[in-house]
Amino acid sequence: MIMMPIMCSLKVIGPLAVLAFLVLVPVNWTGETLEGVKNLAYNDIDKLSISNVPDGSKRFWVHIVMSYVFALWTFYVLYVEYKEVAAMRLRYLASENRRPDQFTVLVRNVPPDPDETVSEHIEHFFRVNHPDSYLTHQVVYNANKLAKLVQKKKSLQNWYTYYLNKYERTSKRPTTRTGFGGVVGTKVDAIDYYSSEIQKLSEAEALGREKVLSDPKAIVQAAFVSFKSRWAAAVCAQTQLSHNPTIWLTEWAPEPRDVYWRNLAIPYFDLTIRRLLMAIALFFLIFFFMIPIAFVQSLANIEGIEKVFPFLTPLIETKSVRSFIQGFLPGIVLKIFLILLPTILMMMSKVEGFSSRSSLDRRSAGKYHLFLLVNVFLGSIITGTAFQQLKTFLHQPPTEIPKTVGESIPMKATFFITYTMVDGWAGIAAEILRLVPLVIFHLKNMFLVKTEQDREEAMDPGCLNFATYEPKIQFYFLLGLVYSAVTPVLLPFVIIFFAFSYVVFRHQVINVYDQRYESGGSFWPDVHRRLLIGLLISQFLLMGLLSTKNIEKSTIALLPLPILTIWFHVYCKGRFQSAFVRFSLQDAMTKDTLERATEPNLNLRAYLKDAYVHPVFKGRRHFDSPLLVPDEENNTLVLTRRSS
C-alpha cells in the first residue's frame, strides 16, 4: 500500500515541476525586487521564488492561474488513482482464495442473559435470527495474563537452551544471577535455575489455562460468529441485528493473523471513554510539543545559540562548526524529538481498543500525519519565522508586519526543506541498509544470536511500518504542493526524494518484508483524504501570502479553489468509498455458487474450527464445537435454558 502514495505523488509533482519551471520561474526571476529591500537576507535561490515579484504586480495573476492548473491536475491524478485502486480492490476480492474472515463476523457488546452463558446466548440468538445460515461461533476469552506467562516461558526456554549448549561445548557448568538481567542477585547454576523456573511457569500456565476456561468472568461479551456462506456473513456484517442499536454490534472479522487479541478483552462500553481520553491526550501532545519546536527554531541561527550559550562562541565561530549548525543542527535536534513519537502514537492507538493490527496502523498513521502537519510543518514555518523576525517586528510599524511575514515565509523554504529532508533521507538510508543482508547477518549473528530461536528472530525482516512511512510520504507531498507556486526551484529535490523512495521501497516490499496482514487496498480512502488536506493547505497558504502583496481581488479569485477541493472530496467519497467499506451481496453469492460447484464436499466447519481460537489455546480440544446433526438443522425449535 505504501507504493501507491509514492507513485501518486510522482504523477502529481512531476508535471507540476515542469509547468512551474516553464512558467513561474521566469516570472519570479525577472521580478528584481529583493535587491531593493533593506535588512533582508536572501540568496540566489530566493530570486526564483515569489518573494522576488514586486508588491501589487500583475505578475501575481500568473501564480493565481497556475494554482488552478495545479489543482485541476491534482484532481485528475487523484481521481484516476482512486478509480484504479477501487477496481484493483474489487478484482482482488473477486479472485482471492477462501479465507476464514470471508465467512466470519465479529459480534461485540453481547447483552447478558440471566439464564444462559455468553456462549449459549450467542448460539441461541443466531439460531433464531439466522436459522438457515448460522454455522458456529467462538467466544472470546480474556487470556492476556496467560499470554504474558506463555511469552515469559518462551524467553526462559531460550536462555535454558543457550546455557545448555554452552555446557555441551565447554563441559563447564555455567552460572548466572537471579536478579535483574542476570547481573545482580545470588549466583546460581544457570541450567538448574532456568529448568526450575520453566517448571514453575509450566505449572502456572496450566493453572491459568484451566482458570480462564472455567471462570465465567473470563469470557468477554464478544464472539467470532461463522456462517455457512459468504452471502450470509455479508448480510450479518452490514445490517443491524437488534432493535436496540447499542447491542449485538457486528463488523467484518479481521483475518486471523490480523486480530489484536489483547484489545478484544476490553469491555465495549470502555471503548468510547478510552477514545475520548486519547483524543484529549493527542490534543495536548500536539499543543505542548509546539513549545520545544519553537525553542529549537529560535536557536536555529548562530546568534541565538551564542546568546544562550556564550561560552561556546569560540567553538561556534569556526567554519566547520558554523556550517554544521546552520545546515544540520535543526534537523538533527528535531529528529531526536521525533524518534520516539511513532511508538507513543501506536501505544495510544492500542489504548483506544482497536481489535486488529490494520486498524492500529490506520489510526496511528492518522495521528502521525496530524502531528507532522501541525508541529513540523506549521510549527516550523510559522513559529520559526516569527522568532526569526521578532526583532524586526519590534522596530517597525504594525502595518509592515504582514509584508515582512510574506517575504520571509517563501525564503524560509530552503531552510525548511533542508532539515525536513534529513528525516526522509534517514528513513531511506535505513531501508538501503537492508539491501546488504550479508553484513546485517554477521552483525546480528555476532551480537544478538544465542540460539537457533534467536537466529530466526534476528533474521526476521519484519514488515513495512505503514503507520510511520505513509504519513511521511504525504508530508513531502504537502511540501511539493505548497512550494509549487511559491518556490518552484525546490520541486526537483522533492521529486528526487520520491524517486529514491520508489526504488528502495519497491525492492523492500517485493523481496524483503513479510506481510502481517492483507488490507486489500482498504487504506486508500484515508490516504486520499490526507492528500487533499495537503492540497487545501497549499491553497490557503497561497491565499494568505498573496493577501500581503497588495493584489486586489486575489482572495476572491482563489476562493473557489478550496470549495472545488472539498466538492471533489465529497464526490470521490460518494463514488468510490463504498467499495472499501462494503462487500456486495452479488459478489458474495457469485463466489459461494462457484465454490459449491467446484467443492461440493467442503467441510466448512472443520476449516473454521481453530481459525479464531486465541493463540495460547491453539490445538486444544476445549473449543471443538459439537457437529450439527440433520435433525438439529431442520428443527424449527431452538433449545434454551431460559425460564421464560
Side-chain angles (χ1 to χ4, degrees):
M1 191 66 206
I2 193 67
M3 299 306 300
M4 295 302 295
I6 296 176
M7 284 298 300
C8 182
S9 300
L10 281 173
K11 293 176 182 178
V12 172
I13 302 299
L16 294 192
V18 175
L19 288 174
F21 269 81
L22 291 177
V23 179
L24 295 182
V25 169
V27 172
N28 295 338
W29 177 261
T30 57
E32 300 180 352
T33 299
L34 294 178
E35 294 90 340
V37 180
K38 297 181 179 180
N39 300 324
L40 183 65
Y42 65 92
N43 53 42
D44 290 338
I45 295 180
D46 295 326
K47 294 181 180 180
L48 303 178
S49 72
I50 198 172
S51 299
N52 203 33
V53 180
D55 291 354
S57 174
K58 293 185 178 181
R59 293 169 180 258
F60 286 116
W61 286 100
V62 178
H63 297 81
I64 294 174
V65 172
M66 292 304 296
S67 66
Y68 275 90
V69 174
F70 294 166
L72 293 176
W73 173 251
T74 305
F75 292 162
Y76 172 76
V77 173
L78 291 180
Y79 177 84
V80 172
E81 290 295 311
Y82 212 150
K83 183 178 180 180
E84 182 179 349
V85 174
M88 291 171 60
R89 174 174 171 80
L90 293 176
R91 288 197 300 268
Y92 165 76
L93 294 176
S95 63
E96 67 174 336
N97 297 326
R98 179 172 58 250
R99 293 192 329 198
D101 54 287
Q102 298 171 349
F103 301 88
T104 308
V105 299
L106 174 60
V107 182
R108 308 191 72 166
N109 208 25
V110 177
D113 189 283
D115 301 315
E116 295 181 327
T117 65
V118 174
S119 181
E120 292 171 341
H121 189 30
I122 292 172
E123 183 175 6
H124 175 261
F125 179 85
F126 281 96
R127 286 195 186 281
V128 169
N129 296 284
H130 296 266
D132 299 324
S133 56
Y134 168 77
L135 180 62
T136 184
H137 73 277
Q138 175 56 62
V139 293
V140 177
Y141 289 85
N142 185 354
N144 293 339
K145 294 182 179 179
L146 181 60
K148 291 180 180 179
L149 281 178
V150 173
Q151 186 62 34
K152 184 177 180 180
K153 178 183 174 182
K154 181 180 177 182
S155 176
L156 292 181
Q157 287 174 332
N158 188 46
W159 279 107
Y160 175 77
T161 303
Y162 165 70
Y163 283 116
L164 194 63
N165 293 339
K166 186 176 181 180
Y167 173 67
E168 292 176 354
R169 291 195 307 267
T170 62
S171 299
K172 182 180 178 181
R173 300 289 291 187
T175 60
T176 187
R177 295 186 180 274
T178 58
F180 177 76
V183 296
V184 296
T186 307
K187 191 174 183 180
V188 295
D189 183 275
I191 296 177
D192 293 340
Y193 172 73
Y194 281 107
S195 177
S196 63
E197 290 296 314
I198 290 171
Q199 180 63 28
K200 293 177 183 177
L201 283 179
S202 297
E203 295 174 358
E205 180 185 344
L207 291 175
R209 181 175 287 110
E210 293 302 323
K211 181 179 179 181
V212 169
L213 294 176
S214 59
D215 185 5
K217 295 182 179 179
I219 300 179
V220 181
Q221 305 295 313
F224 291 97
V225 180
S226 298
F227 296 85
K228 299 177 183 178
S229 65
R230 297 174 181 83
W231 184 90
V235 170
C236 182
Q238 299 170 174
T239 55
Q240 181 175 316
L241 299 189
S242 171
H243 62 275
N244 185 347
T246 63
I247 60 175
W248 296 107
L249 305 178
T250 59
E251 60 185 81
W252 278 109
E255 57 178 319
R257 60 178 176 170
D258 189 24
V259 177
Y260 190 69
W261 292 97
R262 186 177 184 85
N263 279 354
L264 289 178
I266 301 174
Y268 189 83
F269 176 76
D270 294 353
L271 295 180
T272 303
I273 300 176
R274 284 168 170 258
R275 291 169 188 176
L276 174 62
L277 293 177
M278 287 302 101
I280 297 173
L282 181 64
F283 170 79
F284 281 101
L285 177 65
I286 294 175
F287 179 78
F288 285 107
F289 209 84
M290 290 290 290
I291 297 175
I293 291 294
F295 179 72
V296 169
Q297 295 307 312
S298 68
L299 297 180
N301 56 80
I302 301 296
E303 293 76 13
I305 297 177
E306 291 178 344
K307 183 177 181 180
V308 178
F309 307 106
F311 59 90
L312 295 178
T313 300
L315 178 63
I316 293 174
E317 291 301 329
T318 59
K319 184 176 180 181
S320 57
V321 175
R322 190 181 185 90
S323 300
F324 173 80
I325 292 175
Q326 290 178 329
F328 296 99
L329 181 61
I332 293 175
V333 175
L334 187 60
K335 180 65 176 178
I336 294 175
F337 276 132
L338 297 176
I339 194 169
L340 295 177
L341 180 63
T343 303
I344 296 173
L345 296 179
M346 178 59 74
M347 291 174 59
M348 293 175 64
S349 298
K350 290 179 179 179
V351 172
E352 287 182 297
F354 293 97
S355 59
S356 65
R357 301 181 187 277
S358 56
S359 298
L360 293 175
D361 282 343
R362 293 178 68 174
R363 291 291 296 180
S364 297
K367 292 183 179 70
Y368 194 32
H369 176 264
L370 182 61
F371 188 93
L372 292 176
L373 186 63
V374 174
N375 284 288
V376 180
F377 181 74
L378 299 179
S380 292
I381 287 186
I382 298 176
T383 308
T385 301
F387 271 92
Q388 209 171 44
Q389 300 294 334
L390 181 58
K391 183 177 179 181
T392 305
F393 290 172
L394 296 177
H395 295 85
Q396 67 180 184
T399 55
E400 295 297 318
I401 291 179
K403 177 180 178 182
T404 304
V405 175
E407 292 168 345
S408 60
I409 288 180
M411 292 184 293
K412 183 79 173 174
T414 306
F415 171 74
F416 181 58
I417 287 285
T418 299
Y419 80 77
T420 50
M421 283 297 181
V422 171
D423 181 66
W425 287 111
I428 293 180
E431 295 298 324
I432 292 176
L433 288 177
R434 293 178 180 266
L435 303 179
V436 194
L438 186 61
V439 176
I440 299 298
F441 172 80
H442 286 297
L443 290 176
K444 289 184 176 180
N445 195 47
M446 183 182 303
F447 297 106
L448 300 178
V449 172
K450 303 185 297 293
T451 63
E452 286 299 322
Q453 177 183 326
D454 285 340
R455 178 171 284 105
E456 292 178 1
E457 293 177 356
M459 293 300 101
D460 181 12
C463 62
L464 183 67
N465 192 350
F466 177 86
T468 299
Y469 287 124
E470 187 265 343
K472 289 183 179 179
I473 294 298
Q474 293 179 332
F475 179 70
Y476 294 111
F477 179 81
L478 168 64
L479 295 183
L481 289 177
V482 168
Y483 292 116
S484 59
V486 176
T487 312
V489 72
L490 299 178
L491 292 181
F493 299 100
V494 179
I495 294 174
I496 292 173
F497 172 81
F498 282 128
F500 272 95
S501 299
Y502 174 79
V503 173
V504 172
F505 281 109
R506 184 176 185 275
H507 177 275
Q508 302 301 82
V509 171
I510 295 176
N511 300 318
V512 178
Y513 284 123
D514 288 333
Q515 194 167 357
R516 287 195 304 179
Y517 54 81
E518 176 56 65
S519 67
S522 60
F523 291 5
W524 184 254
D526 294 334
V527 175
H528 177 87
R529 183 182 67 256
R530 289 194 283 266
L531 292 177
L532 285 179
I533 289 175
L535 181 60
L536 272 174
I537 291 174
S538 68
Q539 293 166 355
F540 283 122
L541 287 179
L542 182 61
M543 290 172 61
L545 181 61
L546 291 183
S547 66
T548 67
K549 296 292 186 177
N550 298 326
I551 304 299
E552 296 180 359
K553 301 180 181 179
S554 63
T555 302
I556 298 176
L558 289 173
L559 189 59
L561 269 182
I563 297 175
L564 281 174
T565 304
I566 296 173
W567 172 85
F568 176 74
H569 168 67
V570 174
Y571 173 78
C572 288
K573 182 177 180 179
R575 174 70 174 81
F576 300 114
Q577 190 171 5
S578 61
F580 295 85
V581 297
R582 304 288 184 186
F583 185 50
S584 71
L585 298 181
Q586 181 183 12
D587 292 337
M589 181 61 75
T590 300
K591 291 181 70 66
D592 288 334
T593 304
L594 181 62
E595 188 172 75
R596 284 193 291 267
T598 56
E599 299 181 72
N601 299 320
L602 173 65
N603 187 347
L604 190 58
R605 178 184 288 275
Y607 174 72
L608 297 171
K609 183 178 68 172
D610 293 330
Y612 287 99
V613 172
H614 196 291
V616 299
F617 297 118
K618 284 288 187 181
R620 303 234 161 218
R621 299 188 62 185
H622 301 281
F623 296 91
D624 292 345
S625 301
L627 295 176
L628 293 175
V629 295
D631 291 341
E632 184 181 355
E633 287 185 304
N634 297 327
N635 194 351
T636 57
L637 299 178
V638 180
L639 294 178
T640 178
R641 298 193 311 177
R642 289 177 180 160
S643 57
S644 60

